[in-house]
Amino acid sequence: MSDLEQFRAETREWLQANCPEEMRQPVRGPEDHCWGGRKWQFQSDAQRVWMERMAEKGWTAPQWPQEYGGGGLTPEQAAILDEEMKRINARTPVSNFGFWMLGPALLKFGSDELKRKHLPPICRGEIRWCQGYSEPNAGSDLASLQTRAEDKGDHFLVNGQKIWTSYADKADWIFCLVRTDPNATKHNGISFVLFDMETPGVTTRPIELISGESPFCETFFDDVKVEKDAVVGELNRGWDVAKYLLTHERNNIGGEPPGYLKGRALGPLAAEHVGTENGKLADSALRADIARLETDHMAFRALVAKVRAEAEAGEGVGALSAVLKYYGTELNKRRYELMMDAMGAEGLEWESERTQGGMFASEWLRSKGNSIEGGTSEVMLGIVSKRVLGLPDA
Amino acid sequence: MSDLEQFRAETREWLQANCPEEMRQPVRGPEDHCWGGRKWQFQSDAQRVWMERMAEKGWTAPQWPQEYGGGGLTPEQAAILDEEMKRINARTPVSNFGFWMLGPALLKFGSDELKRKHLPPICRGEIRWCQGYSEPNAGSDLASLQTRAEDKGDHFLVNGQKIWTSYADKADWIFCLVRTDPNATKHNGISFVLFDMETPGVTTRPIELISGESPFCETFFDDVKVEKDAVVGELNRGWDVAKYLLTHERNNIGGEPPGYLKGRALGPLAAEHVGTENGKLADSALRADIARLETDHMAFRALVAKVRAEAEAGEGVGALSAVLKYYGTELNKRRYELMMDAMGAEGLEWESERTQGGMFASEWLRSKGNSIEGGTSEVMLGIVSKRVLGLPDA
Amino acid sequence: MRLNDEQQMLQDSVARLMADKGPVSRLRELRDSRDEKGYDQPLWQAMVEAGLTGILVPEEHGGIAFGLVGAGLVAQEIGRNLSVTPFLSTAVLGATALSTGATAEQQSKWLPAIAEGTALVALAVDEGAKHRPDSLNTRYEGGKISGDKLLVLDGHVADLLLVAATDGSDSALYLVDPKASGVTIERTIMADNRNAARIQFDNVEAEPMADGAAALQAALRAGRAVLAAELAGLSREVFERTLGYLKERKQFGRLIGTFQALQHRAAQLMIDVTMTEALALQALDACDNNADDADAQVFAAKGKAARTALLAGQEGVQMHGGIGMTDEFDIGFFLKRARAGGETLGDANFCADRFATLGGY
Amino acid sequence: MRLNDEQQMLQDSVARLMADKGPVSRLRELRDSRDEKGYDQPLWQAMVEAGLTGILVPEEHGGIAFGLVGAGLVAQEIGRNLSVTPFLSTAVLGATALSTGATAEQQSKWLPAIAEGTALVALAVDEGAKHRPDSLNTRYEGGKISGDKLLVLDGHVADLLLVAATDGSDSALYLVDPKASGVTIERTIMADNRNAARIQFDNVEAEPMADGAAALQAALRAGRAVLAAELAGLSREVFERTLGYLKERKQFGRLIGTFQALQHRAAQLMIDVTMTEALALQALDACDNNADDADAQVFAAKGKAARTALLAGQEGVQMHGGIGMTDEFDIGFFLKRARAGGETLGDANFCADRFATLGGY
């Protein structure tokens, strides 16, 4: 038995023994996700136990070094763990922006001290992070941000306002882009800093979206004291960290729809609502639209697979991540439009039990934000035309 | 009986008596069009007789003043003449760029002398005109043209090259944009001049299109002498004339397809080729595409009707002509794509009698030029965003 | 077509009325206060006073009989302001159905009440996810109606229900008293925050019309044409708000309206909006004149309007960026209404299907 | 999927071969000289020597059995150069049909001949405007075939015709000698300047296969997958030529590639092209591995490729402006081939229909 085969066998056995039955049920919606953090209310004992057991193995962050609380797995081992978890429908034990964003940034840019301080609590699900990037007047043009961190000798004093801070009202710490040199050119003079959301001067307010949800906040900083050693990477070079993370974030978009449509094929779903004639959707235009969408989706998946294979072979993804972000989100928007076409009046009910309080319309509306958040489609196309196609600026 | 009713009665009677039976047959294709001019070979006696009789009435240019060979009709009378001609399927007696373009330009900008010299021969079908606007390095950016007319005291000496001169090989005279002041800014220093295509130094060469036809030429000027009084409008203000004509030209686009599809509904045509099931097109995606196209076309026709009604009420068309040019040509391209979808293999035969030598594919290919000639779609959208929407330049 | 002076005056006065009394902020208020009636009662009263509730009611019944073009002009302004009124359900669908097919007695009872604003009427046609007026399951038999309806606009506040049912051969409208025994009404609030209702009819007493089949067809056609105008107005408003934003929002040190890619998209949207307005008015006019191709024009107009409104909503949100995604900002209301209005009385695919059938393919 | 080393080497060598011996200028020469055979004989000979004609022929019959991924790589380069060869008709459709369903005797006779380049094969399926392989009028009865075929690629130069016919229950392929009595062949030159033929069969002697039904299905699937790769290659070439033009053509005092509206469209085209390439290769690989969803992948790939190639052709001409409309310039050849190749063996709508049916809707 090869090492990997043995790893698989042991993993399977361990999961079998340690993953509570309740944590092997399909996730029904966002409410089943375990975010962790100081304020976290576990949905059940099983959720807590599962998180703690996985954290103990380091498998909440399988590929992070063991010294920082991770699992220290190789990519091959991590893939096996992933497969084995999928095999029994094991839920993700815990996840938040600490895992997705801050961790990778710290691992690449952080000092050993910062890594030791922040990574283990993330792995243990003790600290939930949020991200402070956008500002009201710096949307797509992120680098024009105005939040200032003034050097006061032994600390920075942070003043300003962030927007679109995901779940800032529920997070414990924030990683945040601030301007540390107001005289430098736009992309210079920005630093990537970390601080506790309970620091005096931090207030946050949820923003209600058109979908009715409030996953984002406005966050205000009024004379917030931040330690000098809370800077990730070099002072005034925070843009490098931000760029790295933006690309990293875009890589995570695989074009699979979230929510209600996750794992559901649109054609048969439409057939339930629209009906069929001779085995074909009764609305023939909708049938053509769905087939075209699914064809494009299959093409997109083929591209994602190719990019992933190339990335694994070390060829790097680079600006192609903008391609994936752009197309994946546009595809998702098309998909929700067609879902709404298919569901007709039944999809439009907002306050009713039948629709779980308007879930369909809400997800449709929420999808409109996909091509805005994390870099608008227009910004993505600009990156593609410049960095992939090499087209010159005006 | 009102004056207009009387005019209608007389017109009907005159047409009945004077329009040869052969000239009341539907036009089969471009080969049935009478272009006129010195080199013109009449297709039949009937064609010649019809042109001459109409010219004598001034009805080859019904609304031009009688003193210049036109009919002097009011818009209402001209509309009646048009209706009465359509009633008996009477063909256009003669038409070319002299009628469409030069005439309107001369009537608005020309001196009385120029009008007296050039308009009557146009009306009589004696002189066929062509248009010298585009140059190889001045396509969409028409005003960057390089053809120079040097002032030699009693004449200009013209040197340069034009491209896309429609039927220049068959035309007698050309109206042409030339640079008369090389030191002026781009849009200034251009003049609108007229000269005979038989002037020494003029050579012309047809350009074969991807559709197999050659309606356009490259035209070269090598020390061509042009009279000083052959300038329409003011010297160095030719751009005003050109702009007027471009807008005028765009107004003429009503979105009706030319050629084979003229007067043919796409849906029933597709049914012939694709077949039907339960009375609906067997290709349901094509059916949806055609219905969407025809819906858009109906919307476009409604817009054209509205713009025309407003223009008649004196509200002016202005930059809306760019809207009509843009949408009409894009619609036409979509229509030909769907025609080709419908005709399948039968539409693709190139050298066969069944397709009259590839007529279908040829018209499909030709339609691609619609959104390039007379101002590209991109230029039209630029005009709309600046002049209609008032969006600022970068 | 162009508006005549009378129509132009109507448009101007309705534009003022809706902007004054029925702006988007009223929709928000009604939503946030969870208003029981779910429509703007002061606005509706003002419309009664302006005669607009009787815009399709014949003069002998106290209406102003302004024709569908008139109703379309009102709807355009409703679309621009997202004004929340029972105009479509009562003044368009109800008045058209009754004046087309009702008996003299029914007309005398209900049409003046509509014009005077003392009665609200709701049309119950749809039974499932999609609008399929030609295959109804609701049955009329021996003076009684049984069946389940949904998307009954203003159904929970109506004084009269016009219910589409089949007697085995024809589909026709029947008058039903919402308070009659066997009627169960559930208010459903839709994504656009408008009222609709699910209504169950269990062997409910129903009154036939003189020509209930014609009434059904006329109401559907009028409703689609008027909805096309509403969606055209909505599209125009979204376009203008978005254009304004392009001229004021800065990113990367310049107005975003200077970016050519956005310029071209804005131009394309404007063209679609302008065509949609022209087609909607033309279709309404064709109905008023009973033109041969009025049906085809209405299907084209409703289908085009549904697509344009959705495009406008999508582009409106996208071009506004993050702020466009917030509930605090109004643009999302337009997107929601675009989809709900597009769905009502037949979506773009339904219209394309009918349009193609009329075209013989 | 990613190419393995062997496949990568094949791609590189074929790319060189096609660019050297089969560039677009050869298509122009063949057209202008009104070549009787209508395909590039020196290039075909070079492909024989490189073993490419036997790319799908089993090794025991003298082929290299490189699989459909290999054939797709060849087709991609054919697409980039618009090389004019009977590769699709003979090496893909012919070889697949014969190796799938022919008797041992038939295989021994024809497969080595294909590999050695001594025989051309043509597949006769279509009978009308559109590809409808499931409703054939051509009949096989008592050893004889009767019916009319069109769009028979390379039909006028073929040494063997594989004719799809129905015996009343099954549709299957039959071997017919083009010189047999009752065969009438008319060469038809298509808009893309390729050969096709209309062929009439009037009670012509025909030889059944061992499993002619499987042969037909396998040939169609392989042909569609390989055509998807050809159209992907074509799209890539058009995109690259257009991108090059955007970087060199000046208008209004600047490179047209600096105009943002064109930049965004170019980026969108690149994305479509890149996805199409990935999907085509994946579909070919799925066929080679007989994956469960191979059929769905092939319909998706062919449909997507047909749409992408047409879009590339349209954008290519539009972005080149006037020069793109001239015959002197090559871009028009790509547009023509995009449509013809898109139509062959089922257009995008046909593929979408099948794809939907496989998806259960």
Side-chain angles (χ1 to χ4, degrees):
Chain A
M1 192 146 75
S2 76
D3 287 356
L4 284 178
E5 280 163 4
Q6 192 179 341
F7 176 78
R8 186 185 293 277
E10 287 168 11
T11 302
R12 187 175 296 189
E13 195 183 341
W14 186 90
L15 288 172
Q16 199 57 51
N18 288 282
C19 183
E21 197 49 42
E22 220 181 294
M23 293 294 105
R24 304 185 192 191
Q25 305 305 317
V27 171
R28 285 159 304 175
E31 71 277 12
D32 283 345
H33 184 79
C34 175
W35 290 88
R38 293 192 292 240
K39 307 173 195 164
W40 186 245
Q41 303 280 339
F42 287 100
Q43 209 186 21
S44 64
D45 252 11
Q47 193 183 52
R48 185 184 48 74
V49 165
W50 176 228
M51 185 185 93
E52 287 172 359
R53 287 181 185 163
M54 284 290 275
E56 205 167 326
K57 292 282 281 185
W59 285 0
T60 54
Q63 290 190 63
W64 293 7
Q66 286 182 321
E67 56 183 316
Y68 304 130
L73 302 189
T74 63
E76 292 75 20
Q77 289 173 322
I80 286 171
L81 171 59
D82 194 45
E83 284 162 25
E84 291 302 318
M85 285 176 68
K86 283 216 175 90
R87 214 181 54 83
I88 61 166
N89 276 325
R91 293 186 184 172
T92 303
V94 60
S95 201
N96 62 52
F97 285 84
F99 294 92
W100 303 324
M101 308 285 290
L102 179 66
L106 279 178
L107 286 169
K108 187 165 173 78
F109 294 96
S111 65
D112 191 54
E113 199 187 332
L114 281 176
K115 288 182 206 166
R116 284 195 189 286
K117 175 170 177 186
H118 292 296
L119 293 178
I122 292 174
C123 293
R124 292 193 300 267
E126 290 168 3
I127 294 294
R128 176 172 177 179
W129 287 80
C130 66
Q131 158 181 296
Y133 276 19
S134 292
E135 299 184 4
N137 292 308
S140 288
D141 184 11
L142 186 55
S144 69
L145 58 92
Q146 300 295 326
T147 295
R148 285 182 58 169
E150 239 177 311
D151 190 340
K152 292 290 185 186
D154 64 332
H155 65 273
F156 293 114
L157 211 53
V158 175
N159 280 287
Q161 179 185 354
K162 293 286 173 185
I163 196 167
W164 312 124
T165 38
S166 311
Y167 301 111
D169 53 336
K170 301 186 173 73
D172 306 310
W173 276 66
I174 188 168
F175 51 95
C176 196
L177 290 175
V178 295
R179 192 161 294 284
T180 36
D181 182 352
N183 301 315
T185 57
K186 198 164 86 172
H187 292 83
N188 297 309
I190 293 173
S191 298
F192 189 102
V193 300
L194 314 176
F195 52 93
D196 195 316
M197 290 293 280
E198 290 182 3
T199 317
V202 177
T203 50
T204 193
R205 185 176 79 83
I207 301 169
E208 189 179 342
L209 293 189
I210 57 176
S211 59
E213 310 153 293
S214 303
F216 301 111
C217 296
E218 285 183 293
T219 302
F220 303 87
F221 307 127
D222 181 17
D223 280 345
V224 176
K225 274 192 189 177
V226 172
E227 288 173 30
K228 295 288 285 273
D229 58 5
V231 175
V232 178
E234 283 179 55
L235 189 71
N236 294 328
R237 303 293 303 164
W239 188 246
D240 296 344
V241 187
K243 261 199 316 191
Y244 171 76
L245 280 188
L246 284 173
T247 309
H248 187 82
E249 176 183 25
R250 285 171 204 147
N251 280 347
N252 287 330
I253 294 159
E256 299 307 321
Y260 179 72
L261 286 181
K262 187 170 182 173
R264 271 197 177 81
L266 197 51
L269 174 72
E272 282 174 36
H273 291 266
V274 170
T276 57
E277 282 168 16
N278 307 318
K280 297 180 176 186
L281 269 193
D283 181 338
S284 55
L286 180 62
R287 181 171 183 263
D289 288 344
I290 292 176
R292 287 167 181 171
L293 169 86
E294 296 289 13
T295 295
D296 285 341
H297 190 215
M298 196 178 251
F300 182 66
R301 283 204 307 267
L303 176 63
V304 170
K306 182 172 173 254
V307 170
R308 289 217 174 114
E310 284 169 0
E312 278 166 22
E315 292 175 28
V317 176
L320 272 182
S321 69
V323 170
L324 304 187
K325 160 69 167 85
Y326 165 74
Y327 204 86
T329 55
E330 293 294 332
L331 211 48
N332 205 35
K333 290 196 299 179
R334 271 170 71 194
R335 180 177 297 276
Y336 276 102
E337 289 292 346
L338 294 180
M339 178 193 82
M340 291 301 283
D341 284 347
M343 298 185 109
E346 289 173 356
L348 281 167
E349 280 186 14
W350 191 249
E351 300 196 354
S352 90
E353 284 199 23
R354 278 176 223 97
T355 61
Q356 298 175 44
M359 173 175 68
F360 307 111
S362 172
E363 290 191 4
W364 162 64
L365 288 161
R366 181 63 187 86
S367 73
K368 299 302 172 206
N370 299 158
S371 53
I372 297 170
E373 58 210 330
T376 65
S377 281
E378 292 75 22
V379 167
M380 293 303 111
L381 288 175
I383 292 174
V384 173
S385 41
K386 259 124 209 154
R387 292 182 45 207
V388 184
L389 308 190
L391 285 170
D393 269 322
Chain B
M1 193 146 75
S2 76
D3 286 357
L4 284 178
E5 279 164 4
Q6 192 179 342
F7 176 77
R8 186 185 294 276
E10 286 167 11
T11 301
R12 185 176 296 189
E13 194 183 341
W14 187 90
L15 288 172
Q16 198 57 50
N18 287 283
C19 182
E21 197 48 43
E22 221 181 292
M23 292 295 105
R24 303 184 192 191
Q25 305 305 318
V27 171
R28 287 159 302 175
E31 70 277 12
D32 282 344
H33 184 78
C34 175
W35 290 88
R38 293 193 293 241
K39 305 173 195 165
W40 185 248
Q41 304 280 338
F42 287 101
Q43 209 187 21
S44 65
D45 253 10
Q47 195 183 50
R48 184 184 48 74
V49 166
W50 176 229
M51 183 185 94
E52 286 172 0
R53 287 181 185 163
M54 285 289 276
E56 206 168 327
K57 292 280 282 184
W59 287 359
T60 55
Q63 291 191 63
W64 294 6
Q66 286 182 321
E67 55 183 316
Y68 304 130
L73 302 189
T74 64
E76 293 74 21
Q77 289 174 322
I80 287 171
L81 172 60
D82 195 45
E83 284 162 27
E84 290 302 317
M85 285 177 68
K86 284 215 176 91
R87 213 181 53 84
I88 61 167
N89 276 324
R91 294 185 184 172
T92 304
V94 59
S95 201
N96 63 54
F97 285 83
F99 293 93
W100 303 323
M101 307 287 288
L102 179 64
L106 278 179
L107 286 169
K108 187 167 174 75
F109 294 95
S111 64
D112 190 54
E113 200 187 330
L114 281 175
K115 289 183 206 165
R116 284 195 188 287
K117 177 171 175 185
H118 292 295
L119 294 179
I122 292 173
C123 291
R124 292 192 300 266
E126 290 168 3
I127 295 295
R128 177 173 177 179
W129 287 80
C130 67
Q131 158 181 298
Y133 276 19
S134 292
E135 299 183 5
N137 291 310
S140 288
D141 185 11
L142 186 55
S144 71
L145 58 91
Q146 300 295 325
T147 294
R148 286 183 58 171
E150 238 178 310
D151 190 339
K152 291 293 185 184
D154 64 334
H155 65 272
F156 293 114
L157 210 56
V158 175
N159 280 286
Q161 180 186 352
K162 292 289 175 183
I163 196 167
W164 312 123
T165 38
S166 310
Y167 301 110
D169 54 335
K170 299 185 176 74
D172 306 309
W173 276 66
I174 187 168
F175 52 93
C176 196
L177 290 174
V178 295
R179 191 160 295 284
T180 35
D181 181 354
N183 302 316
T185 56
K186 199 164 85 172
H187 291 83
N188 298 308
I190 293 173
S191 298
F192 189 101
V193 300
L194 314 176
F195 52 92
D196 195 316
M197 291 292 280
E198 288 182 4
T199 317
V202 178
T203 51
T204 193
R205 187 175 77 81
I207 301 168
E208 189 179 341
L209 292 189
I210 58 177
S211 59
E213 310 153 292
S214 303
F216 302 110
C217 296
E218 285 183 293
T219 302
F220 303 88
F221 308 126
D222 180 16
D223 279 346
V224 176
K225 275 193 189 174
V226 171
E227 288 172 32
K228 297 287 285 275
D229 59 6
V231 176
V232 178
E234 281 180 57
L235 190 72
N236 294 329
R237 304 293 302 165
W239 188 245
D240 295 343
V241 186
K243 262 200 313 189
Y244 171 75
L245 281 187
L246 284 173
T247 307
H248 187 83
E249 176 182 27
R250 283 168 206 150
N251 280 346
N252 287 329
I253 294 159
E256 300 307 321
Y260 178 72
L261 285 181
K262 187 171 183 171
R264 271 197 177 80
L266 197 50
L269 174 73
E272 282 173 35
H273 291 267
V274 170
T276 57
E277 282 169 15
N278 307 319
K280 296 180 177 187
L281 269 193
D283 180 340
S284 55
L286 180 62
R287 181 170 182 264
D289 288 344
I290 292 177
R292 287 166 182 173
L293 169 86
E294 296 289 13
T295 295
D296 285 341
H297 190 214
M298 196 177 252
F300 181 65
R301 282 204 308 268
L303 176 63
V304 170
K306 181 171 174 258
V307 169
R308 288 216 175 116
E310 285 169 359
E312 278 165 24
E315 293 176 28
V317 176
L320 272 183
S321 70
V323 169
L324 304 188
K325 161 66 167 88
Y326 165 74
Y327 204 86
T329 55
E330 293 295 333
L331 210 49
N332 205 35
K333 290 196 298 180
R334 271 170 72 194
R335 180 177 297 275
Y336 275 103
E337 289 293 347
L338 294 181
M339 179 193 81
M340 291 302 283
D341 283 348
M343 298 185 107
E346 289 173 356
L348 281 167
E349 281 187 13
W350 190 249
E351 300 196 354
S352 90
E353 284 199 23
R354 279 176 222 96
T355 61
Q356 298 175 45
M359 173 175 67
F360 307 112
S362 172
E363 290 192 5
W364 162 64
L365 289 161
R366 181 64 187 83
S367 73
K368 298 303 170 205
N370 300 158
S371 53
I372 298 170
E373 58 209 332
T376 65
S377 281
E378 291 75 21
V379 167
M380 293 304 108
L381 288 175
I383 292 174
V384 173
S385 41
K386 258 122 211 159
R387 292 184 44 209
V388 185
L389 308 191
L391 286 169
D393 269 323
Chain C
M1 65 155 295
R2 303 185 69 230
L3 300 182
N4 60 34
D5 289 347
E6 220 179 358
Q7 291 165 336
Q8 192 63 58
M9 276 174 57
L10 174 71
Q11 184 173 42
D12 295 344
S13 71
V14 173
R16 276 194 304 275
L17 178 69
M18 296 299 161
D20 279 4
K21 307 221 160 157
V24 188
S25 55
R26 285 288 298 150
L27 168 62
R28 185 184 293 279
E29 280 170 37
L30 290 165
R31 179 192 70 169
D32 292 348
S33 67
R34 309 184 70 77
D35 186 272
E36 238 177 70
K37 298 259 180 199
Y39 70 90
D40 192 337
Q41 294 177 75
L43 174 62
W44 186 241
Q45 198 47 47
M47 289 174 75
V48 171
E49 282 155 26
L52 301 178
T53 50
I55 199 157
L56 292 176
V57 173
E59 289 175 11
E60 69 262 36
H61 292 298
I64 60 171
F66 231 88
L68 279 172
V69 170
L73 295 173
V74 176
Q76 262 187 0
E77 300 306 320
I78 287 177
R80 291 197 73 133
N81 293 283
L82 299 181
S83 312
V84 199
T85 76
F87 181 76
L88 178 65
S89 58
T90 299
V92 177
L93 297 170
T96 303
L98 290 163
S99 65
T100 303
T103 63
E105 200 184 338
Q106 290 164 343
Q107 293 196 352
S108 303
K109 178 172 180 192
W110 290 107
L111 288 173
I114 290 175
E116 289 158 18
T118 55
L120 297 184
V121 184
L123 186 74
V125 177
D126 292 356
E127 301 175 348
K130 305 298 290 185
H131 179 67
R132 297 286 178 263
D134 293 342
S135 52
L136 298 175
N137 291 315
T138 300
R139 301 284 297 193
Y140 173 81
E141 221 176 327
K144 305 273 189 170
I145 269 181
S146 291
D148 293 352
K149 296 288 182 181
L150 52 72
L151 206 65
V152 183
L153 305 178
D154 301 309
H156 79 299
V157 286
D159 302 292
L160 170 67
L161 300 174
L162 299 176
V163 185
T166 170
D167 59 4
S169 55
D170 268 351
S171 291
L173 288 179
Y174 297 86
L175 280 67
V176 171
D177 178 353
K179 298 192 187 66
S181 147
V183 178
T184 316
I185 300 180
E186 173 198 359
R187 179 184 179 189
T188 51
I189 297 177
M190 308 304 279
D192 61 344
N193 308 113
R194 303 295 170 102
N195 293 315
R198 288 189 180 242
I199 308 186
Q200 292 175 5
F201 299 91
D202 183 9
N203 214 31
V204 177
E205 199 141 332
E207 206 181 291
M209 288 188 172
D211 188 348
L216 175 59
Q217 295 313 316
L220 293 177
R221 183 165 97 170
R224 289 173 192 135
V226 168
L227 265 169
E230 182 191 329
L231 292 169
L234 178 156
S235 305
R236 168 65 61 183
E237 182 68 21
V238 174
F239 166 71
E240 287 185 2
R241 287 176 183 228
T242 304
L243 182 64
Y245 193 70
L246 293 180
K247 291 178 181 177
E248 106 198 3
R249 169 76 170 171
K250 278 195 173 183
Q251 290 274 274
F252 303 103
R254 49 195 271 211
L255 291 173
I256 60 174
T258 63
F259 286 103
Q260 196 195 32
L262 292 186
Q263 290 184 340
H264 283 199
R265 277 162 54 187
Q268 285 164 324
L269 179 58
M270 181 279 283
I271 294 171
D272 262 328
V273 171
T274 311
M275 291 198 308
T276 303
E277 290 169 335
L279 181 58
L281 271 183
Q282 187 185 283
L284 290 157
D285 194 46
C287 291
D288 280 339
N289 294 317
N290 251 312
D292 286 346
D293 66 344
D295 281 328
Q297 289 208 38
V298 170
F299 284 121
K302 175 71 190 354
K304 178 75 188 165
R307 287 192 286 134
T308 299
L310 210 46
L311 175 70
Q314 291 159 349
E315 288 288 64
V317 169
Q318 181 68 23
M319 292 192 192
H320 278 87
I323 185 96
M325 281 298 294
T326 63
D327 182 73
E328 213 177 334
F329 200 73
D330 286 341
I331 205 90
F333 283 103
F334 291 91
L335 175 62
K336 294 170 183 177
R337 177 62 192 154
R339 183 158 269 292
E343 188 68 38
T344 306
L345 303 182
D347 70 2
N349 287 349
F350 173 85
C351 292
D353 177 71
R354 295 304 178 92
F355 182 83
T357 298
L358 289 173
Y361 57 97
Chain D
M1 65 155 295
R2 302 186 69 230
L3 300 181
N4 61 33
D5 290 347
E6 222 179 359
Q7 290 165 336
Q8 192 64 58
M9 278 175 55
L10 174 71
Q11 183 173 42
D12 294 345
S13 70
V14 173
R16 275 193 305 275
L17 179 69
M18 295 298 160
D20 280 4
K21 307 221 160 158
V24 188
S25 57
R26 286 288 298 149
L27 168 62
R28 186 183 292 279
E29 280 170 38
L30 289 165
R31 179 192 70 169
D32 293 347
S33 67
R34 308 184 69 78
D35 186 272
E36 239 177 69
K37 298 260 182 200
Y39 71 90
D40 191 340
Q41 293 177 76
L43 173 62
W44 187 241
Q45 198 46 49
M47 289 173 76
V48 170
E49 281 156 25
L52 302 179
T53 50
I55 198 156
L56 293 175
V57 172
E59 289 176 11
E60 68 262 35
H61 292 296
I64 59 172
F66 231 87
L68 279 174
V69 170
L73 295 173
V74 176
Q76 261 188 1
E77 301 305 321
I78 286 177
R80 290 197 74 131
N81 294 282
L82 299 182
S83 311
V84 199
T85 75
F87 181 75
L88 179 65
S89 58
T90 299
V92 176
L93 297 170
T96 303
L98 290 164
S99 65
T100 304
T103 64
E105 200 185 336
Q106 290 164 342
Q107 293 196 353
S108 303
K109 179 174 176 189
W110 290 107
L111 287 172
I114 289 175
E116 290 158 17
T118 55
L120 298 184
V121 183
L123 185 74
V125 177
D126 291 356
E127 300 175 348
K130 305 299 289 184
H131 179 67
R132 297 286 178 265
D134 292 342
S135 52
L136 299 175
N137 290 314
T138 300
R139 300 284 298 195
Y140 172 80
E141 220 176 329
K144 306 275 190 168
I145 268 183
S146 290
D148 294 352
K149 296 288 183 181
L150 52 71
L151 206 64
V152 183
L153 305 177
D154 302 309
H156 78 299
V157 287
D159 303 292
L160 171 66
L161 299 174
L162 300 177
V163 184
T166 171
D167 61 3
S169 55
D170 267 352
S171 290
L173 288 179
Y174 297 87
L175 280 68
V176 171
D177 180 352
K179 297 194 187 66
S181 146
V183 177
T184 314
I185 300 180
E186 174 198 359
R187 178 185 179 189
T188 50
I189 298 178
M190 307 304 278
D192 61 345
N193 309 112
R194 303 294 171 101
N195 293 315
R198 288 188 180 244
I199 308 187
Q200 293 174 3
F201 300 91
D202 183 9
N203 215 31
V204 176
E205 199 140 332
E207 206 181 292
M209 290 188 171
D211 189 348
L216 174 60
Q217 294 313 318
L220 292 176
R221 182 165 98 171
R224 288 174 193 134
V226 168
L227 264 169
E230 183 191 327
L231 293 170
L234 177 157
S235 305
R236 170 64 62 184
E237 182 68 22
V238 173
F239 165 71
E240 288 187 359
R241 287 177 183 227
T242 304
L243 182 63
Y245 192 72
L246 293 180
K247 291 178 180 177
E248 107 198 1
R249 168 77 170 170
K250 279 196 173 179
Q251 291 272 274
F252 304 102
R254 49 196 270 208
L255 291 173
I256 60 174
T258 62
F259 286 103
Q260 197 195 30
L262 292 185
Q263 290 183 340
H264 283 199
R265 276 161 55 186
Q268 285 163 324
L269 179 57
M270 181 280 282
I271 294 170
D272 263 327
V273 170
T274 311
M275 291 197 308
T276 303
E277 289 169 337
L279 180 58
L281 272 182
Q282 187 186 283
L284 290 157
D285 194 45
C287 291
D288 280 340
N289 294 318
N290 250 313
D292 285 345
D293 66 345
D295 282 327
Q297 288 208 39
V298 170
F299 284 120
K302 174 69 191 355
K304 178 76 188 165
R307 286 191 288 135
T308 300
L310 209 46
L311 176 69
Q314 290 159 351
E315 288 287 65
V317 169
Q318 181 69 23
M319 292 193 192
H320 277 87
I323 186 97
M325 281 297 295
T326 64
D327 182 73
E328 213 177 333
F329 201 72
D330 286 342
I331 206 90
F333 284 103
F334 291 91
L335 175 61
K336 293 170 184 177
R337 177 63 192 153
R339 184 158 268 292
E343 187 68 38
T344 306
L345 303 181
D347 69 3
N349 287 349
F350 173 86
C351 292
D353 177 71
R354 295 304 179 93
F355 181 83
T357 298
L358 289 172
Y361 58 97

